[in-house]
Structures are given as structure tokens and as C-alpha cells.
């Protein structure tokens, strides 16, 4: 697992844990009482719930998925707290019922440092959609 020595490291650690489909490593990125809102608006609290939300999809429809993250910004709000925004492109393969495709999301993560370790305290994931049609879009204006 990638060590999170500064908030920006969470971007690569999140991507690496996702792409390895190791949900224990994924869960280790979060504080015990962290909250997570997935791209469908499903809210959970706590590492066990975050893992429970992700483990079944990583064993099935996302088993051949990859994630590619791109940092937008990190804003320090305290010496031990930061807000980070990043783009995330999820590419799924044949394991997904809809077949191979990509989805872009915008992620907001709040990170805090406790006992010298940075971890995610809260994360929210929003799917990019056309506001007039509801159709998912990729960054750059291309439709999926």
C-alpha cells in the first residue's frame, strides 16, 4: 500500500488500491469513522461499511475495472486537514453487464492527519452527466 505522507498521495493510493481490487488496502485509506458517498448517492459510514459497499462489485462487475485519477487541487484548511478534488476515470471491461465502457467522475475528499497519519475522512463521488438529458459524459464533452 502506498503511504499517504501528504494529502496528494491519497490520489495514487486510491487508484492503486482500486486497481489491485484489494478492498482491505482500499479500506486502509480511510479513518475508522470516515464517510463515503458513491456515484449513485449511496452513503455509508465507517471502514467496514466502505469495504462492504465495494467488495461485491470488485468481485463481479468491476473485477476487470481500472481507475485513473488526475489531481485538480488540494486546499489546506488546517495544518492537519485538507480538501482535495480530483478527476477519476473508471474503465470497466467485459465483466460489466453493459460491456466495456468508461465513466468519468469528480471526487471531493476531505483528508485529516491523526497521530501523524493522513487518511480520508470523507469522500463524495459525482458522475459527470449532461444536465439536460441525464446522459453520462466523458470529460472533453464526448458522450459515452
Amino acid at each position: 500500500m502506498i503511504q499517504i505522507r501528504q494529502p496528494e498521495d491519497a490520489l495514487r493510493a486510491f487508484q492503486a488500491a482500486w486497481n489491485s481490487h484489494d478492498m482491505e488496502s482500499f479500506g486502509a485509506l480511510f479513518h475508522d469513522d470516515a464517510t463515503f458517498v458513491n456515484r449513485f448517492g449511496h452513503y455509508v459510514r465507517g471502514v467496514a461499511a466502505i469495504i462492504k459497499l465495494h467488495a461485491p462489485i470488485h468481485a463481479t462487475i468491476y473485477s476487470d475495472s481500472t481507475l485513473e485519477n488526475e489531481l485538480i487541487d488540494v486546499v489546506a484548511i488546517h495544518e492537519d486537514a485538507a480538501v482535495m478534488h480530483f478527476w477519476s476515470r473508471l474503465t470497466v471491461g467485459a465483466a460489466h453487464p453493459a460491456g466495456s465502457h468508461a465513466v468519468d467522475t469528480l471526487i471531493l475528499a476531505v483528508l485529516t492527519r491523526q497521530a501523524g497519519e493522513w487518511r480520508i475522512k470523507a469522500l463524495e463521488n459525482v458522475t459527470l452527466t449532461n444536465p439536460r438529458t441525464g446522459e453520462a459524459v466523458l470529460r472533453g464533452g464526448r458522450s459515452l
Side-chain angles (χ1 to χ4, degrees):
M1 184 176 90
I2 296 172
Q3 293 293 325
I4 303 175
R5 293 192 172 95
Q6 58 187 8
E8 294 86 349
D9 294 340
L11 182 80
R12 289 180 304 282
F14 189 95
Q15 179 176 302
W18 183 282
N19 290 342
S20 72
H21 307 286
D22 177 355
M23 293 301 99
E24 293 302 319
S25 291
F26 188 73
L29 303 174
F30 296 85
H31 288 292
D32 289 340
D33 62 346
T35 60
F36 191 105
V37 179
N38 74 6
R39 66 189 186 101
F40 302 107
H42 187 156
Y43 167 91
V44 295
R45 175 181 287 276
V47 170
I50 293 168
I51 292 171
K52 183 178 178 182
L53 177 65
H54 289 88
I57 58 177
H58 278 269
T60 57
I61 65 171
Y62 287 171
S63 63
D64 58 356
S65 70
T66 58
L67 201 63
E68 187 176 340
N69 294 330
E70 179 184 335
L71 183 65
I72 298 171
D73 64 13
V74 177
V75 178
I77 53 177
H78 184 274
E79 66 183 28
D80 292 324
V83 174
M84 179 169 59
H85 294 91
F86 60 97
W87 296 114
S88 188
R89 175 161 291 166
L90 173 67
T91 303
V92 299
H96 196 281
S100 299
H101 64 280
V103 176
D104 278 346
T105 64
L106 176 61
I107 295 179
L108 177 147
V110 177
L111 293 99
T112 61
R113 182 169 43 193
Q114 296 175 355
E117 293 186 28
W118 285 97
R119 295 226 170 113
I120 300 168
K121 188 71 168 177
L123 186 142
E124 185 166 353
N125 194 1
V126 178
T127 303
L128 302 183
T129 61
N130 179 323
R132 294 184 179 166
T133 65
E135 178 185 15
V137 295
L138 291 175
R139 287 184 293 131
R142 297 182 322 218
S143 295
L144 294 177

